[in-house]
Amino acid sequence: MILQVSTRNFKRFETQDFPLEPLTLLAGPNNSGKSTLLQAAMAWNLAMQKWWERKGPESGSKAKDRPGAPITRQEFTALPLPSMDQLWTDTHTSLRKDEGKQGAPRPLVITLSGLANDGTPWKVGFEFRYSGPEQIHVKPVAEDLPHLEQARKEVSVIYVPPFSGIGVNETRHDRPYQDMLIGQGKAGDILRNLLLEVAEAKGGQDWQRLERIVENIFGYRLLKPKYAGAPFITCEYLKGIPVGNGNGGWPPLDVSTTGSGFHQVLLILAFMFARPSSLILLDEPDAHLHVLLQKQLYDIMRSLCHERKGQLVVATHSEVLIDNTSPNQIISFYRTPLPLATEVDREQVREALKR
């Protein structure tokens, strides 16, 4: 479990610590830093992947003497960037005269700390150094090297951005291309890919559970996606639940013909079943949903995450989600990010959102 995310010189926060619970709700107005926390965790995860991929399994003991692993702007799938300096607070990638050696690199550091499955504490920070508009280099913080392999084995991260539309057609994409689309906020462009992965998973239990959840919420029957022998993935549903064999008289319809609320729910569920992870980051999962459906989906997400021993971090504006979350599980992003302590604190956040 991750206990804290800490950032230095990352985007809007020069120095900030974010304590996490098994479920953490990030509440506050637009442009207050909620997504920045999610992006920090994604950037750390990408740095870990690229370091291990390029430096190898022996990288831990030798990392102190090795240069950082390069990451190009095109490879940086944690968030879309026109230039790599946009990662730094106010784009300051070098030290000023009053901060030390003028012109020296300003390190951007993202640190995750937590408890291993056996209860052992660990902490791993990654240092990001600016190499130009198109490239950065990442390297583990030297003092954290003993925990590097432990963190790599125990931390897996997925990020689910708000639904932003679905294409008419969708071919099969490999994982790196899917990650790039997610980083660009185009998760709807891989919805059929995710559903196909769930349908093809060994055993079929996850697909059956996904079918049942869709039936319980919407009264629709989700049909198994098809791809073999076709240029695009076919993903259809029935506007009812047939009894016995056949379609019960309902014509199969493409998932693109449903409303945005159905798409939003289906996207979140597809991610949770296709990408089981230790840390699930959700950006405004309540978007496009009426209040009753917000509560229903929130309960399902918490249940699935608890069942799979995962950790959930949710950025939201929803009063429904705030009302159904304990104060100690909420971080308020009004002015400075601050964990709540009492019911009064939660009510103040709720009222501020209403205003």
Side-chain angles (χ1 to χ4, degrees):
M1 174 180 161
I2 297 170
L3 299 178
Q4 183 167 279
V5 177
S6 301
T7 64
R8 179 156 57 95
N9 299 323
F10 181 67
K11 296 192 73 178
R12 68 180 295 124
F13 300 113
E14 288 191 356
T15 304
Q16 188 65 51
D17 295 330
F18 302 95
L20 299 184
E21 299 290 332
L23 165 67
T24 305
L25 208 66
L26 316 178
N30 289 320
N31 202 36
S32 60
K34 301 186 301 297
S35 295
T36 299
L37 169 53
L38 305 184
Q39 291 164 353
M42 283 297 293
W44 182 95
N45 188 62
L46 180 64
M48 174 68 86
Q49 290 175 0
K50 294 300 182 182
W51 173 263
W52 210 264
E53 171 188 309
R54 293 177 179 177
K55 300 302 180 179
E58 300 300 321
S59 62
S61 60
K62 301 177 182 178
K64 190 183 299 184
D65 305 317
R66 291 190 173 190
I71 303 179
T72 66
R73 186 169 62 88
Q74 287 72 25
E75 294 174 311
F76 198 85
T77 55
L79 65 153
L81 295 169
S83 173
M84 298 304 289
D85 62 358
Q86 303 295 307
L87 290 173
W88 272 257
T89 305
D90 297 327
T91 71
H92 293 157
T93 61
S94 301
L95 296 177
R96 296 187 292 263
K97 186 176 181 180
D98 59 337
E99 297 175 317
K101 185 179 179 181
Q102 187 174 7
R106 179 194 302 276
L108 182 164
V109 182
I110 301 173
T111 303
L112 268 60
S113 55
L115 288 177
N117 293 332
D118 62 2
T120 305
W122 59 266
K123 178 173 73 74
V124 172
F126 272 94
E127 186 177 277
F128 297 67
R129 288 186 178 267
Y130 182 72
S131 303
E134 296 296 320
Q135 185 170 268
I136 58 173
H137 283 75
V138 297
K139 185 177 182 178
V141 173
E143 65 187 41
D144 299 337
L145 289 175
H147 300 150
L148 190 66
E149 187 167 2
Q150 181 79 41
R152 184 187 72 88
K153 289 178 178 178
E154 299 212 7
V155 179
S156 56
V157 183
I158 62 166
Y159 167 63
V160 187
F163 183 79
S164 59
I166 181 174
V168 176
N169 296 313
E170 185 180 323
T171 190
R172 193 152 200 175
H173 304 307
D174 60 21
R175 185 64 181 270
Y177 189 73
Q178 291 184 33
D179 290 342
M180 183 191 73
L181 291 174
I182 294 167
Q184 293 175 352
K186 299 177 181 178
D189 288 354
I190 65 164
L191 174 57
R192 296 181 182 88
N193 274 267
L194 294 171
L195 292 172
L196 185 62
E197 289 177 26
V198 179
E200 291 180 344
K202 187 176 180 179
Q205 293 92 343
D206 284 345
W207 178 260
Q208 292 171 10
R209 292 190 65 186
L210 178 57
E211 274 187 336
R212 288 196 297 270
I213 293 172
V214 170
E215 290 176 3
N216 290 336
I217 295 177
F218 297 102
Y220 293 169
R221 168 64 57 81
L222 195 61
L223 302 178
K224 271 195 171 186
K226 301 175 183 177
Y227 182 62
F232 303 109
I233 300 170
T234 300
C235 193
E236 298 174 321
Y237 72 101
L238 306 176
K239 294 182 71 174
I241 305 171
V243 178
N245 297 325
N247 292 345
W250 286 286
L253 301 172
D254 190 82
V255 292
S256 63
T257 64
T258 60
S260 57
F262 181 86
H263 292 151
Q264 175 80 340
V265 171
L266 197 56
L267 179 69
I268 291 170
L269 294 175
F271 263 107
M272 296 192 77
F273 281 113
R275 302 273 189 274
S277 300
S278 63
L279 179 63
I280 301 172
L281 310 170
L282 294 167
D283 203 349
E284 299 184 25
D286 49 280
H288 311 296
L289 307 182
H290 62 74
V291 292
L292 295 179
L293 188 50
Q294 288 178 26
K295 173 66 166 56
Q296 195 172 5
L297 178 61
Y298 192 40
D299 289 342
I300 291 169
M301 291 189 305
R302 288 191 290 189
S303 176
L304 285 172
C305 203
H306 177 73
E307 172 189 313
R308 296 171 180 225
K309 297 180 173 57
Q311 194 170 355
L312 202 59
V313 180
V314 182
T316 186
H317 302 119
S318 169
E319 297 171 39
V320 174
L321 270 59
I322 292 171
D323 286 344
N324 286 277
T325 306
S326 299
N328 67 301
Q329 297 175 315
I330 300 174
I331 298 178
S332 168
F333 277 74
Y334 284 92
R335 301 183 180 90
T336 300
L338 184 68
L340 304 186
T342 67
E343 297 288 344
V344 173
D345 293 337
R346 184 176 65 175
E347 187 61 26
Q348 289 175 344
V349 169
R350 188 181 184 281
E351 288 302 313
L353 278 174
K354 286 175 64 176
R355 290 194 298 271

